[in-house]
Amino acid sequence: MEENRYHDIILNEDVEKLLALSDDEKEELMSELVYEYLPTKSLKEMNEVQKTLYLAWTLEDACQADSLLSLSEEEELFLALPETKKALEALGAFQSAALLSEFIALLPVGSIPEWDWFFEEEREDIIERIDGGLCDYPDGVMCDFYITYLSKPENARQLLLGLGRQNAAEAEAKDE
């Protein structure tokens, strides 16, 4: 029932219904967006609001479920770490952005290092500290940042923009 309600909000790009949701419901809708809708788009296809929420959520997910290094398994996300830093800043998570900036400064530009590189003596402790810091939510619970961000009417509008049409087109293509 709830899932259908969220799907309808997304499909119809219904900003008013999104804004009328409780914070818990907005979190559930965000989860639906991040796991079901946004992964079907490349980062280049996302607008700034979609990208901001998707990148920040994905970083949080990686740090909580595994580690920051797990992002290296997905080239597009790993190479977008500078954009992820900007996303954290846009959300107001400045301490997390500073930690991510430290990590980015260690990386070779424009490529993903081999796995062993992360564990070389001169970097291992630094990376472990950064990863642990991000896992500890230095700015507070990230969900609060997401909800505040998507509760702004223009951000809500941009978040939903095109997702309903994209989903309808994909469903139509499957039926053919």
Side-chain angles (χ1 to χ4, degrees):
M1 165 80 178
E2 288 300 311
E3 189 173 308
N4 289 338
R5 185 168 128 201
Y6 301 141
H7 176 73
D8 288 344
I9 289 171
I10 296 164
L11 187 64
N12 297 317
E13 297 179 17
D14 195 331
V15 174
E16 287 181 28
K17 285 186 181 171
L18 185 156
L19 294 173
L21 296 173
S22 71
D23 286 355
D24 288 342
E25 291 168 326
K26 286 176 183 169
E27 182 179 359
E28 290 173 14
L29 180 124
M30 268 292 302
S31 180
E32 178 102 1
L33 283 166
V34 170
Y35 293 120
E36 301 297 325
Y37 290 86
L38 292 176
T40 65
K41 300 176 95 168
S42 72
L43 292 176
K44 289 177 185 164
E45 295 173 310
M46 292 181 200
N47 64 43
E48 281 306 305
V49 170
Q50 292 167 344
K51 195 182 304 184
T52 293
L53 290 166
Y54 182 72
L55 289 173
W57 185 294
T58 303
L59 174 68
E60 178 189 7
D61 243 16
C63 290
Q64 294 302 317
D66 192 13
S67 79
L68 178 59
L69 303 182
S70 67
L71 289 176
S72 68
E73 296 170 10
E74 294 186 51
E75 184 177 9
E76 184 181 39
L77 291 174
F78 194 81
L79 295 177
L81 286 173
E83 291 179 80
T84 304
K85 176 188 169 267
K86 289 178 188 171
L88 292 169
E89 291 170 342
L91 292 168
F94 298 109
Q95 293 176 62
S96 296
L99 284 167
L100 186 59
S101 185
E102 272 188 74
F103 181 69
I104 293 167
L106 296 172
L107 299 171
V109 177
S111 67
I112 301 173
E114 295 295 322
W115 192 250
D116 292 349
W117 181 91
F118 294 107
F119 300 100
E120 289 178 3
E121 190 174 322
E122 67 270 16
R123 286 181 285 276
E124 185 174 19
D125 289 344
I126 297 167
I127 292 172
E128 189 175 306
R129 177 185 54 77
I130 293 168
D131 186 54
L134 287 168
C135 284
D136 289 340
Y137 293 108
D139 299 287
V141 179
M142 287 302 298
C143 186
D144 295 342
F145 291 94
Y146 307 142
I147 291 168
T148 298
Y149 187 77
L150 74 87
S151 293
K152 296 175 182 168
E154 184 53 35
N155 288 347
R157 192 172 348 282
Q158 290 297 311
L159 178 62
L160 297 176
L161 189 64
L163 295 178
R165 290 187 299 275
Q166 173 190 340
N167 191 268
E170 288 171 4
E172 190 175 297
K174 285 181 185 176
D175 290 342
E176 292 177 355

